[in-house]
Amino acid sequence: GVVLMVYINKKILKLDAQGQPQAWISRYSAAIYYAKNLIAAEYGNPLYTLYGGWNNAGIQSTLEINSIIQVSSECGTGFTKKRLKPKLSKAAVFNRDAKTCAYCGKLYTLTDLTWDHIVPISKSGPTIWENLITSCRRCNHFKGNKTIEDVGYHQYFTAFRPTLSEFLYISNHRMLNEQEEFLIGYISQKSRIFTCREIYKDLLEV
């Protein structure tokens, strides 16, 4: 059983041995680190209490899991460099751009959004973070396979590859305030993700 059922879908923020944000993990994955005594430090507050077996005295074992955990160096990285790179997807691009069309500057729901290759594929534009921007369907249809200059569009913001901390921030809309504040400490004050904090809070979806 798990107490605090309101938190049933909350993820644990995992830090590497150096204390750098690394991944969102489930309470069960976190429990394995606790069970193997691989927790170097805990931050935030207890988020889950997991219940185990009963001893001869009739006492049930419990395990409290904090909202932010740092694993010990004995874990190694646990992640390859490839896995530590922010994974490119339409949802991630939409979240990076706070679901705002780069060409008309308006907010949209997911069903009205597409991603656009700033330099079109037909002109050898690559499918990378720096060449993908959020666009509403109308603006994208009008732009077609032309460049921004061809259609006279003004681009309200630039495309960029998020850092791992930025990616973790935009990929979990259910994070606790303490987790958010921790991640913010690893994001540049100049980041568009930082300047759009309130927009992200209102717009991020699964």
Side-chain angles (χ1 to χ4, degrees), residues 102-104 148 152-157:
Y103 303 133
C104 67
I148 297 172
Y153 273 167
H154 164 73
Q155 195 171 313
Y156 280 83
F157 48 82

Side-chain angles (χ1 to χ4, degrees):
V2 179
V3 296
L4 301 176
M5 295 302 289
V6 68
Y7 290 147
I8 195 67
N9 292 315
K10 298 291 185 183
K11 294 285 189 180
I12 312 299
L13 180 59
K14 176 189 172 187
L15 315 180
D16 63 18
Q18 287 70 48
Q20 298 288 319
Q22 187 182 64
W24 293 109
I25 62 174
S26 71
R27 59 189 181 277
Y28 300 114
S29 295
I32 293 173
Y33 291 109
Y34 278 89
K36 293 183 177 180
N37 198 29
L38 293 174
I39 302 295
E42 298 174 289
Y43 304 94
N45 298 298
L47 181 57
Y48 293 108
T49 299
L50 301 184
Y51 294 92
W54 301 78
N55 64 17
N56 293 333
I59 300 174
Q60 188 177 22
S61 65
T62 60
L63 176 64
E64 281 196 341
I65 297 176
N66 268 41
S67 62
I68 305 169
I69 61 171
Q70 180 179 342
V71 298
S72 72
S73 56
E74 296 173 34
C75 292
T77 61
F79 287 76
T80 64
K81 288 185 178 180
K82 183 177 181 181
R83 286 182 67 189
L84 282 174
K85 290 181 180 178
K87 185 178 180 181
L88 178 61
S89 68
K90 285 187 178 181
V93 171
F94 296 161
N95 286 342
R96 180 199 65 183
D97 299 339
K99 297 183 173 66
T100 303
C101 176
Y103 303 133
C104 67
K106 297 178 182 178
L107 301 177
Y108 289 91
T109 61
L110 286 174
T111 54
D112 293 318
L113 289 177
T114 63
W115 67 0
D116 179 59
H117 287 73
I118 300 169
V119 178
I121 295 175
S122 61
K123 300 183 186 300
S124 301
T127 302
I128 58 174
W129 286 99
E130 296 85 349
N131 192 47
L132 289 164
I133 204 81
T134 299
S135 172
C136 68
R137 294 186 182 279
R138 182 179 179 182
C139 286
N140 200 350
H141 179 74
F142 182 75
K143 179 173 175 286
N145 64 351
K146 301 180 178 68
T147 65
I148 297 172
E149 293 75 21
D150 289 339
V151 294
Y153 273 167
H154 164 73
Q155 195 171 313
Y156 280 83
F157 48 82
T158 58
F160 67 97
R161 178 186 298 273
T163 65
L164 183 58
S165 291
E166 288 173 331
F167 180 75
L168 292 173
Y169 186 88
I170 65 176
S171 63
N172 183 5
H173 75 290
R174 291 174 174 171
M175 61 184 158
L176 301 169
N177 288 337
E178 61 205 51
Q179 295 171 329
E180 178 187 13
E181 292 304 321
F182 191 93
L183 279 175
I184 287 296
Y186 289 86
I187 298 175
S188 167
Q189 291 278 338
K190 297 179 181 179
S191 170
R192 193 166 84 233
I193 285 172
F194 186 86
T195 59
C196 291
R197 284 180 74 180
E198 295 307 314
I199 296 178
Y200 284 116
K201 277 187 176 181
D202 293 337
L203 297 179
L204 288 186
E205 299 171 8
V206 177

